[in-house]
Amino acid sequence: MAQSVVVSLKEKINNQWRDRPRSQGSLLSAYGEPAIWLTGGALVICLAMILGLLLLILINGLRTFWPARVVHIKLRNGQAVLGEITRSEWYRPDPAFLEQLSPDQRALYVEAIEAHDGWVKRELIRIGNYELTNEHFRWVALPEIAPGGGTFPDWALVIERVTWGRFYGFPVGFVVGETVTATEPQQIWQEFQKHHPRVRQRWRRIRQLETRTLGDINYALEKSRLRLRTIELREGKSSPAYQELAQQFARQEAELQQEYDSVRTEIESLRRENSQYGLRLRTADGQEKDIGLADIVRAYPANQLSLGERLALYGSRVWEFLSDEPREANSEGGIFPAIFGTAFLTLLMSLAVVPLGVVAALYLREYAKAGVVVSTVRVAVNNLAGVPSIVFGVFGLGFFCYVVGGTIDQVFFSARLPNPTFGTGGILWASLTLALLTMPVVIVATEEALAAVPRSMREGSYACGASRWQTIRRIVLPRAMPGVLTGAILAMARGAGEVAPLMLVGAVKLAPELPLDHRFPYLHLERSFMHLGFHIYDLGFQSPNSEAAKPMVFSATLLLILLVAALNLGAMVLRSRLRKEMRATHL
Amino acid sequence: MKGRVLMNGEEKRTANGPLTRLIADGPAVTHRKRRRETLMPDQWPDESPGTGKLIQTETETASPVALGTPVPLAKVLSAGASRLDAIARGEPFESEIHAEFAQETPILEIDHFSLSYGPKQVLFNISMIIPRGKVTAIIGPSGCGKSTLIRCINRMNDLIESVRIEGDIRLDGTSVFDPAVDVTEIRKRAGMVFQKPNPFPMSIFENVVYPLRIQGVRDRRVLAEVCERSLRAAALWDEVKDNLHQNAMQLSGGQQQRLCIARALAGDPEVLLLDEPCSALDPIATNKIEDLIRELAGTYTIVIVTHNMQQAARISDFTALLYLGRLIEYGPTRRIFSAPHLPETEAYVTGRFG
């Protein structure tokens, strides 16, 4: 009985559900669900794109420094290839290419093509040894490979060199002077590890002497010459002041020349000592080659490394990347000058844009009488944010470099003319150009922050007898600080990632000196600089060895993203701390 | 100006209303707005109490420019309706001022004072004296101009453009509008406390000594002394003496308002202007502030604007009733509440309008 009641009730409910009233022909927009799916879907797509990008950069950027194993491949034509597999792909061989092959080779290709619907797999191998092969990379198609396939020989060494890129080969001897002291790989490796650190130490000493000591001498000489030239321009060549200074200069020149010569001798002796040591290697196709130990940055038997050694190698490469100067047209070595240039540029830009933007916004919001003029200015400032950045670059070059810099050169650095000092691209002009570019961001954010300061708070201050400026200084500005910081963050993020205008006003492929060094006045704002964004462009599109530079592009991009994220994070922490102080817990 | 305030009222209302209503009555809202602009004030349709209140609050906090909804007074009031109608029509009106003021020493004299915001006149020919050392309350329905009047005393209305004034306000005999007078000096002599507690986002100590800081006082001993004296005077010392360097924003609403009073006292003013100081506070905090006002009376001259007639009756010595920018009646509080001269005043204080 009870069960039948339950059943009938169920039926009833089911029937009701089936026959429920449905609105006839009502609008799709009357339902909520499609809108949720539409908006949510859009969000998911956006997130997927951003995360995909970040993931791509992260994986590729981190993979760059991982020491891969070295493969030794014997080819059917008797050649052998030694190197790291970079990537592999499927391709369709060109019929003309097949025509020119010998019949048995063609048969192999045809077999492989037929097995995979016209596609053949090939692998890109980094073979290095550029001075012998004239290639850094080489494609090897599967049909080319002899039956044995690839092996991973124990004593295949990877050599990272100061010049010519990497070298792959087997050790056959360790050379000291004219004699070969070791011939067994194990012994050679031990000898290498014994001598290499000392050789590198001397190499670093040479580099320091060349850049620092000789640089200082040259700098001092140049300074004296400029002083002489200044006097010459001011008083003429026949004046007694010039004559006196010229004698003094000649004396100083002689002294410096002596000093220069002694440093040169020291460098020569270090060089001679270093050049004794060499590593004799045999390449995959049997050529022998001696490489000076001083030329070797790093060498390792790639196939013998344990996980710990690989990690250590990885760490040392990352450290080199972060702290060293670039080599080999930027495709090897580090990018420290670019990191420094970017951070320094962003800092200088913030120093210029934040105070100026805040003061301008203060006038617009606090002092200017609302009216047509102020509205026009506001609209103009907002529109400035939409101007393509290259336009700012052109303006910066035309105005800052040529007009302002040119005038400065005329007035203060006339001795150095026709070589420009400030009259060309430099970090000062670049930062001012970026400051101009990001000014609207700061002004708009500051104005909003000022407008958000409650009227009651200003009134409270006025009612205490404060003047307008006192109120702004003590009440409005502190209260608006989080908003101002938001503007500064946005400006910094925008400025740090900007490339186009920098190419015109001072970013260069390779800057010989940092804008900050040990020589008075320490800060050299006229110098050109390296920039991460420009570096990425240069690596990716201007590099002669683009295949080797490609991983560096990812690493540099990853670093740029991290740098911008770090800058933002720092400012955000500061802002949240300020906000906490401002927040009212009651009311 | 008025149009904008009404728009604000509308916006608030629709924003607060339930979503369904908003959709259902969408066109009706705009319709009502249109009607409101064309009809005379006393013909306006009755609003629900909640709505009316919202508009009032908006009027009071947004800006003193806002003259809110005039109450359909004439409709409710039987006795003297014709006179209030006459006021609404803008005919001249003679304020009823009691004779008791003859014995008082005035500290403030408001002399035939009128004020307009652009084309909109807000105060009409107000003349009254504020007796020294006494508590004077200004009451009246929303939008009658009482806040505007009190803000003229320390020239807070200077901050608003397009203000025009006629007549004069004299503090101790000198006109506050005299071009030779330093406005910051006026504001130091007439300290002000606002409707909403507005402590600055800094420590309690810094809040209290703010008037001294802006005068350039740096002597830590003087600052500490003034801080303690002011906080004691504002009956806040015992509650905050152990954490003077705590952020003032963390105090409760009532404490914040007393802090604002302490801040006003730190400047050593002669007159204390209180603009509805309790309207944002709960009854207990209100009680404390009222006790404080009674204690401060005598030492300071206090002018308080209030919505709350009981409050005016409890704490003030004299009461002025404003309506539509006119001073209706001004006299000793006892008389105003028990035996006013005008029937309109009686109607207002007994809650029959406003």
Side-chain angles (χ1 to χ4, degrees), chain A residues 43-287:
Chain A
L43 178 69
V44 166
I45 291 172
C46 290
L47 285 182
M49 286 199 292
I50 294 169
L51 288 181
L53 174 75
L54 286 180
L55 215 62
L56 179 82
I57 291 170
L58 193 71
I59 291 173
N60 280 304
L62 290 179
R63 211 177 53 180
T64 309
F65 307 107
W66 187 252
R69 296 210 293 171
V70 172
V71 69
H72 183 252
I73 301 174
K74 280 205 176 72
L75 302 182
R76 281 177 194 272
N77 61 8
Q79 288 179 340
V81 174
L82 186 68
E84 295 170 31
I85 297 178
T86 310
R87 62 192 154 94
S88 54
E89 65 171 33
W90 291 87
Y91 82 116
R92 272 180 194 278
D94 184 10
F97 164 76
L98 293 180
E99 284 298 311
Q100 54 155 33
L101 292 172
S102 63
D104 46 335
Q105 274 185 328
R106 197 181 313 143
L108 286 164
Y109 266 97
V110 170
E111 193 188 324
I113 289 170
E114 277 171 0
H116 291 104
D117 290 336
W119 294 92
V120 175
K121 192 179 183 186
R122 60 178 180 179
E123 275 163 345
L124 184 66
I125 313 225
R126 182 174 196 171
I127 54 171
N129 308 6
Y130 186 75
E131 71 273 39
L132 301 177
T133 60
N134 283 325
E135 284 180 310
H136 287 288
F137 290 83
R138 156 159 198 196
W139 284 108
V140 174
L142 287 195
E144 282 183 86
I145 299 173
T151 54
F152 296 98
D154 275 350
W155 282 107
L157 285 186
V158 179
I159 317 261
E160 292 174 29
R161 296 182 292 179
V162 177
T163 50
W164 295 112
R166 293 194 186 172
F167 195 94
Y168 297 91
F170 302 99
V172 290
F174 191 84
V175 187
V176 180
E178 296 295 308
T179 53
V180 177
T181 58
T183 48
E184 282 302 303
Q186 192 68 43
Q187 287 175 328
I188 296 170
W189 186 241
Q190 276 171 0
E191 286 286 306
F192 172 79
Q193 285 188 316
K194 197 169 85 189
H195 291 291
H196 185 247
R198 266 182 271 165
V199 171
R200 284 296 285 176
Q201 209 172 355
R202 279 195 287 269
W203 181 84
R204 273 192 289 273
R205 170 86 185 129
I206 292 172
R207 200 164 77 156
Q208 203 206 354
L209 283 175
E210 277 177 342
T211 56
R212 196 121 185 204
T213 317
L214 293 188
D216 283 350
I217 292 172
N218 282 332
Y219 188 77
L221 202 61
E222 176 69 8
K223 231 165 108 179
S224 310
R225 201 187 63 75
L226 283 175
R227 203 161 46 215
L228 188 66
R229 173 90 179 126
T230 313
I231 296 292
E232 182 190 332
L233 285 177
R234 201 190 300 153
E235 316 225 341
K237 246 181 169 149
S238 52
S239 66
Y242 176 79
Q243 297 293 345
E244 193 187 330
L245 200 65
Q247 280 177 7
Q248 209 180 327
F249 176 67
R251 243 176 301 148
Q252 195 189 10
E253 196 177 15
E255 268 170 41
L256 287 173
Q257 188 59 45
Q258 217 170 7
E259 206 176 317
Y260 187 89
D261 287 343
S262 80
V263 174
R264 271 270 150 234
T265 337
E266 193 188 345
I267 290 174
E268 280 313 312
S269 82
L270 285 170
R271 281 244 169 87
R272 250 198 318 280
E273 214 168 325
N274 263 0
S275 64
Q276 292 176 30
Y277 300 97
L279 193 60
R280 185 162 297 166
L281 294 156
R282 200 184 60 237
T283 64
D285 38 2
Q287 285 176 284

Side-chain angles (χ1 to χ4, degrees), chain A residues 369 455-457 459-467 470-471 474-475 479 581-587, chain B residues 62 151 156 159-160 184 187 192 194 198-202 210-211 213-214 247 249-252 256 263:
Chain A
K369 269 207 169 78
R455 194 198 164 86
S456 65
M457 227 158 247
E459 285 183 339
S461 172
Y462 289 132
C464 288
S467 68
Q470 283 174 321
T471 303
R474 288 172 180 271
I475 306 297
R479 175 83 194 196
E581 273 175 37
M582 303 292 161
R583 199 165 39 216
T585 45
H586 293 280
L587 287 176
Chain B
R151 292 164 69 95
M156 287 305 278
L159 303 174
I160 298 151
T184 59
R187 289 180 187 152
M192 189 161 202
F194 298 84
N198 56 353
F200 304 135
M202 38 176 115
Y210 185 78
R213 285 265 187 227
I214 58 177
N247 194 322
M249 299 307 241
Q250 288 163 7
L251 296 175
S252 74
Q256 287 188 359
R263 189 173 68 196

Side-chain angles (χ1 to χ4, degrees), chain A residues 259-325:
Chain A
E259 206 176 317
Y260 187 89
D261 287 343
S262 80
V263 174
R264 271 270 150 234
T265 337
E266 193 188 345
I267 290 174
E268 280 313 312
S269 82
L270 285 170
R271 281 244 169 87
R272 250 198 318 280
E273 214 168 325
N274 263 0
S275 64
Q276 292 176 30
Y277 300 97
L279 193 60
R280 185 162 297 166
L281 294 156
R282 200 184 60 237
T283 64
D285 38 2
Q287 285 176 284
E288 286 201 358
K289 164 92 182 160
D290 282 359
I291 297 174
L293 246 56
D295 263 355
I296 298 176
V297 176
R298 199 182 281 115
Y300 56 93
N303 298 335
Q304 289 185 33
L305 295 179
S306 65
L307 183 65
E309 284 166 327
R310 271 175 209 279
L311 282 174
L313 201 60
Y314 185 85
S316 99
R317 277 182 173 177
V318 169
W319 176 243
E320 185 196 10
F321 180 68
L322 293 177
S323 66
D324 213 343
E325 282 167 19

Side-chain angles (χ1 to χ4, degrees), chain A residues 357-370:
Chain A
V358 168
V359 169
L362 268 180
Y363 182 80
L364 270 183
R365 178 61 63 181
E366 300 287 327
Y367 288 107
K369 269 207 169 78

